[in-house]
Amino acid sequence: MAERKLFAGHAVRRLRRQMGLTQAAMAEALDVSPSYLNLVERNQRPLSASLMLRLAETYDFDPRTLSASEPGGGAEAMRRRLADPVFADLEIDRHQLEEWLAGAPGGAEAFARAYDRMGAAPGPEGQAADPGSQVRREIERWRNHFGDLDAAAEALADELRMAGDLYGAMAERLRVKHQLSVRILPAEVMPDRVTRLDLHARQVQLSEMLPSSARSFALAEQLAVEARTEIDGLVRGAALDRVSERLFRRHLMRYFAAAVTMPYARFLRACEASGYDVELLQRRFGASFAQVAHRLTTLQKIGARGLPFFLVRTDRAGQVSIRYAGASGSPLAESVALCPLWNAFDAFARADESVTQLVELEDGSRWFTLARCTHPHAGTVAGVRPRFAIALGLPARDAGSLAAARGVDLEASAVPIGLGCRACTRMDCPQRSAPPAGRGLVVSDRERGVTAFGFAGD
């Protein structure tokens, strides 16, 4: 928050009303003038560090909730929503967006909730998308960093670390403190499950198909019960429907598990010392590529921030099943469709090998990306083994210290890509499969361009 001006008048106004105070009464308690507080509440003045500190001291207020409570998750999150092709003809620029958030925060929040409830890509009959869109909205509001969970997990990890063997220590803690034993079962006993909590038998049951990294993660996820207070508070504050609430709770439990197996301070030190070498981090923390990749998107603790990674998990058809923009604000993590020129798809043909690329979007932003094909530990169904490509990325200007970027000229020409054909207005792309939304298809009997989907320009 110290890196940018924080306009949080809506949050201050809501706090004042919750306390049942007039502006004059709150201004007196904070030792500011009523006129100044009025300007802050109307977003005509940013919230200063000194006033933020006085709010925290006077009303036992957690200042971290200010950035999380910005309308729609803040300007970057709103910009990603407005990148939807349905808004392509409106040309809402940055200044208009800032004026909207400052002048009508309630309206902006209402728009964000309505958009997220319908989902970024409604179905053919306009039906609501899956509840995951609501959960993603809440995760992005926090930039996928939950400091209280990290603190609780790190304290538990330090306690378990004294035993030396993390897996054994977690199994023992589950047995002694929670009366749960751990049992590894044959694949034929659990043909369609990899983990199960059997409360009747008081067992955490794990499939023998799970590798050691997944077994440790499963036990750490069960220990998330020790952070129930923190998780319950986050879930209540999200105000989600029942299904979305369960999805969000599951995300928080897995976040806690990642923070136990990869404690924040130790993990960040290892990242900085190794140049964020994912393979080295996997070996050091006994984790999978997917686990390390997700953890990299969470390193946003105030005063100890890591690099701003985003993450996208896609299948061969370009269907995205997991996405985190984190602190990167990357449109690549929020776009409705992916660009075939992005080499994340090449990872499917290069098992156990990472592929990197320097790309540039239409807005001029440049990104360094790294992708690898992964196989979730779910066995096979009808002979089919699941495969996904997980792509990590960050602004090219921040990639200089990466082990994966060694030898790469980050100032060189980047591959121009878009956010899916319906959102991309590049005229000369031979890979185009549809004209941009809002642009008419141009068909000529006399000539043919590099694409069969020519369209009218501005």
Side-chain angles (χ1 to χ4, degrees):
M1 288 184 287
E3 297 172 356
R4 58 189 174 90
K5 292 182 178 180
L6 178 59
F7 291 91
H10 54 288
V12 175
R13 185 186 307 112
R14 183 164 58 246
L15 173 65
R16 177 174 61 78
R17 289 176 176 173
Q18 288 173 348
M19 303 296 294
L21 299 173
T22 64
Q23 279 189 342
M26 176 175 269
E28 182 179 359
L30 297 174
D31 194 26
V32 297
S33 69
S35 60
Y36 176 72
L37 182 60
N38 181 51
L39 291 172
V40 169
E41 287 194 4
R42 288 161 50 197
N43 281 328
Q44 293 184 9
R45 291 289 187 278
L47 189 64
S48 66
S50 60
L51 182 54
M52 191 185 308
L53 181 60
R54 272 176 264 166
L55 278 167
E57 293 175 344
T58 306
Y59 300 110
D60 191 23
F61 183 67
D62 186 351
R64 289 173 296 183
T65 62
L66 290 173
S67 60
S69 63
E70 292 180 81
E76 286 300 322
M78 291 293 285
R79 183 178 61 80
R80 292 194 292 270
R81 292 182 181 93
L82 292 169
D84 191 308
V86 74
F87 307 122
D89 62 325
L90 298 181
E91 298 183 351
I92 299 174
D93 62 26
R94 179 175 59 85
H95 297 294
Q96 287 177 301
L97 178 58
E98 290 176 352
E99 289 175 1
W100 184 23
L101 294 177
E109 177 67 19
F111 161 79
R113 292 185 186 182
Y115 179 86
D116 293 342
R117 187 168 293 275
M118 291 302 297
E125 271 75 45
Q127 71 268 25
D130 70 291
S133 60
Q134 297 180 52
V135 175
R136 285 196 300 272
R137 167 182 172 269
E138 190 63 21
I139 292 170
E140 298 302 349
R141 278 165 57 90
W142 290 92
R143 292 176 172 82
N144 201 23
H145 173 70
F146 303 93
D148 290 344
L149 291 185
D150 267 309
E154 196 157 17
L156 175 59
D158 287 342
E159 189 175 341
L160 296 170
R161 189 183 182 191
M162 293 186 293
D165 173 20
L166 179 62
Y167 177 85
M170 289 192 292
E172 180 67 8
R173 190 176 186 95
L174 285 169
R175 185 186 70 82
V176 173
K177 188 169 183 177
H178 303 285
Q179 294 75 55
L180 290 170
S181 62
V182 179
R183 188 177 180 187
I184 310 299
L185 294 177
E188 58 268 23
V189 176
M190 297 177 67
D192 57 353
R193 297 287 185 275
V194 290
T195 68
R196 179 191 294 126
L197 175 61
D198 188 334
L199 291 176
H200 178 72
R202 302 302 301 173
Q203 289 180 348
V204 178
Q205 299 171 348
L206 307 178
S207 169
E208 65 180 345
M209 298 301 294
L210 288 176
S212 59
S213 60
R215 294 182 187 187
S216 293
F217 195 88
L219 297 194
E221 191 173 350
Q222 293 300 326
L223 286 173
V225 69
E226 299 190 18
R228 178 179 294 167
T229 300
E230 292 85 352
I231 290 174
D232 285 349
L234 289 165
V235 171
R236 282 195 305 271
L240 301 169
D241 62 40
R242 181 168 296 183
V243 176
S244 298
E245 180 179 294
R246 289 177 179 174
L247 282 174
F248 187 43
R249 185 179 295 277
R250 185 173 69 179
H251 174 81
L252 295 174
M253 292 174 65
R254 290 178 175 176
Y255 184 104
F256 182 85
V260 169
T261 55
M262 294 169 276
Y264 195 101
R266 274 183 277 155
F267 187 76
L268 180 59
R269 284 197 299 270
C271 288
E272 293 176 339
S274 68
Y276 292 78
D277 187 322
V278 178
E279 185 172 347
L280 184 150
L281 294 170
Q282 286 182 245
R283 295 171 184 269
R284 183 168 298 179
F285 291 91
S288 68
F289 179 87
Q291 290 166 0
V292 170
H294 171 258
R295 190 61 170 141
L296 289 174
T297 70
T298 70
L299 303 179
Q300 292 303 306
K301 180 179 179 181
I302 295 175
R305 286 193 170 97
L307 293 178
F309 284 94
F310 70 83
L311 179 151
V312 171
R313 190 183 80 165
T314 179
D315 63 15
R316 283 180 175 272
Q319 300 173 115
V320 176
S321 49
I322 298 176
R323 60 175 89 222
Y324 302 117
S328 73
S330 177
L332 285 167
E334 291 294 338
S335 61
V336 176
L338 302 181
C339 180
L341 300 181
W342 189 16
N343 77 349
F345 297 100
D346 294 351
F348 287 108
R350 301 169 71 170
D352 301 320
E353 183 180 349
S354 296
V355 295
T356 63
Q357 190 177 33
L358 186 64
V359 299
E360 182 173 338
L361 300 181
E362 284 190 273
D363 63 4
S365 62
R366 293 161 58 89
W367 305 85
F368 179 81
T369 67
L370 175 152
R372 182 181 292 184
C373 182
T374 64
H375 305 271
H377 312 297
T380 61
V381 178
V384 177
R385 187 184 184 192
R387 303 175 73 201
F388 296 93
I390 292 181
L392 285 166
L394 75 167
R397 65 176 180 273
D398 297 325
S401 62
L402 294 186
R406 288 171 188 158
V408 176
D409 182 0
L410 297 172
E411 299 297 327
S413 297
V415 176
I417 68 172
L419 302 176
C421 291
R422 298 295 285 169
C424 178
T425 59
R426 297 189 192 276
M427 301 286 289
D428 54 355
C429 177
Q431 191 68 54
R432 179 172 290 282
S433 60
R439 301 288 182 90
L441 186 65
V442 175
V443 181
S444 174
D445 294 333
R446 298 184 179 182
E447 59 184 17
R448 181 178 178 182
V450 296
T451 173
F453 298 93
F455 56 92
D458 291 325

